[in-house]
Amino acid sequence: MHLEALQTGTGATWRGWAPTNSQAEGPWFMYDDELRPGNTGRAVGDSAREMEILASSRICIEGVDPEIDGGRFAAKCVAGRPFTVRADIFGEGHDSVRAALLWWRQGAQEVHETPMRFLENDRWEGSFTPPENALYRYTLIAWRDDFLTWRKDTSKKVAAALNVDVEAEIGHRLVAASRDHAPEGEGRAALESVVHATNHGSTEERLDILMNEDTLALMTRAGRRYCLTRFDRDLAVFADREIAAFSAWYELFPRSAAPGLRHGTFRDVIDRLPYVRDLGFDVLYFTPIHPIGRTNRKGRNNTLTPGPDDVGSPYAIGSDEGGHTAIHPELGTIEDFDALVEAARGHGLEIALDIALNASPDHPWIKEHPDWFEWRPDGSIAYAENPPKKYEDIVNFRYYLEDGSPNAPYWEAVRDMFLYWADHGVLCFRVDNPHTKPFPFWEWVIDEVRAKHPGAVFLSEAFTRPKMMKRLAKLGYNQSYSYFTWRNTKAELTEYLTELTSEECRHYMRPNFFVNTPDINPYFLQTSGRAGHRIRLALAATLAGNYGVYSGYEICEATPIPGKEEYLDSEKYEIRDWDFDREGHIKDDIRLLNGIRRKHAAMRDFTNLEFFDAHDGAVLYYGRFDPATENYLLFHVLLDPHAGREFSFDLPLWRFGLPDEASIEVQDAIHGNHFTWHGKEHRLTLDPETRPYAIWRLIPPGGARD
């Protein structure tokens, strides 16, 4: 596909690579193709043209952040929230420069300009707020501000009592030159007025006009831009719906939604909606809802000898009743599903589907499209494997053909499957093991879906190597599962969260901190009881913008298969009837934490996390600060589920410009009472049996109490 073709759609318009004409129009090249040098480096031959090109970029613009892989991928932001760009911008010598951020919606003709501000050490910053859920482009421009340079130098000469007759004339001519280059309009008329006023008069009178603040503002707005330089590429940022960056997910098996042990239906799930919303969740996420194969069906606890009534794994998708666009008949009909989606919307919930590109040996596509599957030399179909493990109830799809070209009809079928569910009101998709499928496949599919549904949210369930996780995020996944599940100590959590919130990945990778999943029953939870579940819940809900729980977490269900991070009597292989009111539940904690998340603006920006020092290795102490809304939160979380701690900590008065002996008003965000903390050093006790976490709202002097 040509880059020009890619640029016509709403999808992957930020792609920076395209094949040459011969590659695009000819066959797909494989390993035995002739190697040849690439067309890179500076052109040689036209010295005059080279001089002209180099001279046109007198101002240096470099170190742009974000610039993901040289512009190959888009950064991510949220529609309606500021998106900030920083860069190193400078010219030779000490002359003044100015800079601006240009931005526009992809495909639009109107370009917006936002001034950038100088920070320090040649670092500049600018922001714009994308108004809609769409793809935007941005770039930077910079220029020499000769008038500002003149003004600074002349001020020094005036202060030194030097003769500035010539300087007054230079200032006058700079304004006149700006007038001559300005388009017709208000700006040119204002410049003409200054030129006329400074055409005559004494040096003092001329300088009074030329150096006043009104003239400076006019020249900043309408003055001539000398040596205007544009950054050498246009970059991209995708503005998501807020739910892509800030959401709380609740996962359940719809077949377990009914009372007792009968097979649940979508109508039973509708009855569960008030419960899920009462806990404060935004997204209700279902494991696969499709027909389940019979061949090699798994029995309870993943046995290979199922009984006649075993329901099988929902991840073995496909039977004679249909495949990935069909519904398991015991769950209901597509009309029932539509009613569920509509009912969920009425409760303020979005439905998310688990998209697993798995096929049972009974999937109808095997007969209809045998070339969409991998086959072994003996003519048997290839089962999914992770040697020595073999998944007898799942077979592999084929993504590329023998000549290296994409298996286009299959790619298109997957795209159409996503679009089918989007047309039925589902825009949130959790994708099972995307790292085992080709990256180009996902980039193409996500781009195609976004072209019609820019609000689609893709959650990558890829517990794999860090660079693979990040690549999936770059190519379009809005959210990513993470290593949070296995980060338990203060050092582990601090190091990992610092990476996620401060390194380049913060611009494109949004972790979703699931505390557990049907596949993962963490060792920490197996041995820590109710206190451990409260600890991990508090960490997930307050450290990340997105987090989730799998049903049963609220009742602290953690019975393991001995020696494994797996649940005994796993719901993946049987229907479970949970008592969600059983003793020891933590539903009140879930309601509380989700309520705090929704109430406080500081919780909506994942990257504002800041760690502070609690003088105990078993206490994690951090803050979430949002100066724009004057919302400042502090958190203390006990990491030891077995023993309490009394510890000291430093109150970050310095973040408000206050001295160590200052006082600050505090609200207990859990109980609501207000009080005052005096000074920098304080002590606190946390107990795992009462409450292993504390949350405080700081109200600096002059701040609003509510």
Side-chain angles (χ1 to χ4, degrees), residues 154 169 250 291 294 362 370 385 429 452 465 480 542 571 692:
T154 302
E169 181 60 24
Y250 184 84
R294 281 282 178 185
D362 305 322
E385 294 184 72
F429 301 100
K452 293 187 176 181
R465 302 190 302 278
S480 305
T542 61
E571 205 170 357

Side-chain angles (χ1 to χ4, degrees), residues 71-92:
R72 167 69 171 86
F73 297 105
K76 293 183 176 73
C77 70
V78 175
R81 289 197 210 163
F83 172 68
T84 299
V85 180
R86 295 184 177 92
D88 298 328
I89 301 174
F90 55 94
E92 77 278 5

Side-chain angles (χ1 to χ4, degrees), residues 481-520:
Y481 279 66
S482 72
Y483 300 133
F484 166 76
T485 313
W486 301 279
R487 300 295 185 265
N488 299 310
T489 69
K490 183 174 183 176
E492 290 170 345
L493 288 163
T494 301
E495 180 182 11
Y496 188 47
L497 269 297
T498 299
E499 173 194 343
L500 293 177
T501 59
S502 64
E503 296 185 6
E504 185 191 46
C505 61
R506 74 189 186 279
H507 293 303
Y508 60 81
M509 182 176 175
R510 301 190 189 103
N512 190 321
F513 281 4
F514 263 80
V515 290
N516 67 330
T517 77
D519 298 305
I520 302 171

Side-chain angles (χ1 to χ4, degrees), residues 429-620:
F429 301 100
R430 179 268 198 189
V431 179
D432 190 65
N433 288 326
H435 60 292
T436 62
K437 287 78 178 174
F439 296 132
F441 164 78
W442 284 124
E443 188 169 1
W444 182 83
V445 167
I446 291 173
D447 291 342
E448 289 282 300
V449 174
R450 276 216 186 102
K452 293 187 176 181
H453 299 280
V457 174
F458 292 84
L459 167 60
S460 164
E461 188 258 358
F463 294 109
T464 183
R465 302 190 302 278
K467 291 178 181 178
M468 294 182 72
M469 295 171 71
K470 291 176 180 177
R471 181 73 178 195
L472 289 164
K474 290 177 186 177
L475 62 81
Y477 276 90
N478 311 75
Q479 299 180 11
S480 305
Y481 279 66
S482 72
Y483 300 133
F484 166 76
T485 313
W486 301 279
R487 300 295 185 265
N488 299 310
T489 69
K490 183 174 183 176
E492 290 170 345
L493 288 163
T494 301
E495 180 182 11
Y496 188 47
L497 269 297
T498 299
E499 173 194 343
L500 293 177
T501 59
S502 64
E503 296 185 6
E504 185 191 46
C505 61
R506 74 189 186 279
H507 293 303
Y508 60 81
M509 182 176 175
R510 301 190 189 103
N512 190 321
F513 281 4
F514 263 80
V515 290
N516 67 330
T517 77
D519 298 305
I520 302 171
N521 179 13
Y523 290 124
F524 181 91
L525 296 179
Q526 295 177 22
T527 59
S528 60
R530 182 173 186 265
H533 282 73
R534 298 176 85 192
I535 288 168
R536 297 299 292 180
L537 174 72
L539 291 171
T542 61
L543 284 170
N546 302 299
Y547 92 103
V549 307
Y550 156 51
S551 176
Y553 190 90
E554 65 266 48
I555 55 176
C556 306
E557 173 59 41
T559 307
I561 295 177
K564 295 185 177 181
E565 281 192 318
E566 298 180 30
Y567 287 96
L568 184 65
D569 301 328
S570 170
E571 205 170 357
K572 290 190 296 181
Y573 308 105
E574 61 182 281
I575 294 172
R576 296 297 303 267
D577 180 23
W578 302 108
D579 176 7
F580 290 105
D581 293 317
R582 79 185 188 191
E583 186 177 355
H585 69 75
I586 60 170
K587 292 187 292 184
D588 289 341
D589 293 273
I590 295 174
R591 291 188 191 96
L592 170 70
L593 290 165
N594 280 336
I596 288 173
R597 281 168 54 87
R598 286 195 304 272
K599 180 178 180 180
H600 294 282
M603 299 300 297
R604 297 176 182 271
D605 180 6
F606 169 62
T607 64
N608 67 7
L609 180 67
E610 186 173 354
F611 288 101
F612 301 113
D613 192 14
H615 306 296
D616 191 297
V619 177
L620 193 67

Side-chain angles (χ1 to χ4, degrees), residues 81-142:
R81 289 197 210 163
F83 172 68
T84 299
V85 180
R86 295 184 177 92
D88 298 328
I89 301 174
F90 55 94
E92 77 278 5
H94 302 286
D95 291 345
S96 298
V97 299
R98 290 193 187 274
L101 177 63
L102 304 182
W103 62 276
W104 62 99
R105 179 170 172 162
Q106 175 68 24
Q109 297 301 310
E110 183 180 10
V111 177
H112 307 272
E113 179 177 316
T114 301
M116 300 185 75
R117 66 185 185 93
F118 177 77
L119 298 175
E120 61 179 0
N121 194 26
D122 294 322
R123 197 69 173 163
W124 291 70
E125 177 183 272
S127 300
F128 70 93
T129 300
E132 298 176 335
N133 171 208
L135 179 68
Y136 290 83
R137 295 275 186 172
Y138 64 95
T139 193
L140 309 178
I141 58 173

Side-chain angles (χ1 to χ4, degrees), residues 3 87 237 244 260 317 322 341 396 464 472 495 499 517 545 584 613-614 634-635 637 689:
L3 180 61
V237 57
I317 296 170
V341 172
N396 288 331
T464 183
L472 289 164
E495 180 182 11
E499 173 194 343
T517 77
D613 192 14
L634 289 179
F635 304 85
V637 181
E689 298 304 319

